[in-house]
Amino acid sequence: MTEVSSLTGRLLVATPALADPNFDRAVVLLIDHDDKGSLGVVLNRPTAVGVDQILAPWAELAGAPGVVFRGGPVSQDSALGVAVVPGAAPVGERVGVGPMGWRQVHGAIGLVDLDAPPELLAAALGSLRIFAGYAGWGPGQLEEELNEGAWYVVESEPGDVSSPRPEGLWREVLRRQRSGLAMIATYPDDPSLN
């Protein structure tokens, strides 16, 4: 897959028609997308479990709310750390630049090696979120869902990873679009009540 066709670093925003309860009004950051499949984390599913209960060494670096997020329905017993490193070079420029223990995904957004000592990254991180599980698609599966109209694809912003109001992220991301998508943000939670 060419770099131009890769959706890595972009957001998948669930359309109101998406029927899968795992992704109802979900905003997914795509961490990897190529001809082998796709992997992402749902940014707007906070749990009641504190980061200090699961990964205590990382708790002080985790942004508010300091909870673990449900990253998706796959491998919920595993954890992924997604962090923003302010001032990170655009992908392709100065490859490999960034703090040790952080791998750039897109712009200032990257993955954290949760086995690394947190103090290696503490000074460089702007924000950190911990995700239990992830969303995954096999080869061609995401493209099929896109063709069926299940997802809107939009650009991500570093603040999406650390939104202080994750439950409102679906509307917030749609509202900032400069197209007809902004109107979708007003779609009622239950259209049958209209």
Side-chain angles (χ1 to χ4, degrees):
M1 187 165 287
T2 65
E3 190 172 332
V4 172
S5 64
S6 176
L7 300 178
T8 298
R10 292 197 172 93
L11 298 178
L12 297 178
V13 181
T15 67
L18 184 59
D20 184 339
N22 289 306
F23 299 108
D24 181 44
R25 301 221 174 184
V27 177
V28 178
L29 171 68
L30 279 176
I31 293 171
D32 282 313
H33 176 251
D34 58 25
D35 57 359
K36 295 178 184 101
S38 304
L39 181 141
V41 290
V42 179
L43 297 176
N44 57 336
R45 297 284 194 271
T47 69
V49 178
V51 173
D52 60 338
Q53 295 174 291
I54 305 296
L55 291 166
W58 291 96
E60 281 191 34
L61 297 176
V67 298
V68 175
F69 282 66
R70 186 172 178 261
V74 182
S75 294
Q76 291 185 4
D77 58 344
S78 64
L80 287 170
V82 177
V84 172
V85 172
V91 174
E93 291 181 22
R94 302 182 313 177
V95 175
V97 172
M100 186 175 285
W102 180 81
R103 177 179 69 87
Q104 185 179 40
V105 171
H106 178 74
I109 302 168
L111 285 174
V112 171
D113 177 359
L114 296 173
D115 290 327
E119 53 274 6
L120 277 179
L121 291 153
L125 294 186
S127 65
L128 169 70
R129 283 269 161 88
I130 304 295
F131 297 89
Y134 62 90
W137 295 266
Q141 187 180 4
L142 178 57
E143 289 74 11
E144 210 170 282
E145 290 182 18
L146 291 171
N147 288 335
E148 292 168 358
W151 301 99
Y152 303 119
V153 178
V154 301
E155 294 298 321
S156 64
E157 294 181 3
D160 297 332
V161 172
S162 59
S163 174
R165 284 187 353 99
E167 61 283 344
L169 191 60
W170 186 82
R171 289 187 193 283
E172 183 182 320
V173 168
L174 288 171
R175 199 172 290 122
R176 75 176 182 232
Q177 303 309 307
R178 297 176 190 251
S179 65
L181 285 182
M183 290 297 295
I184 303 292
T186 64
Y187 197 85
D189 291 335
D190 186 354
S192 68
L193 296 177
N194 276 348

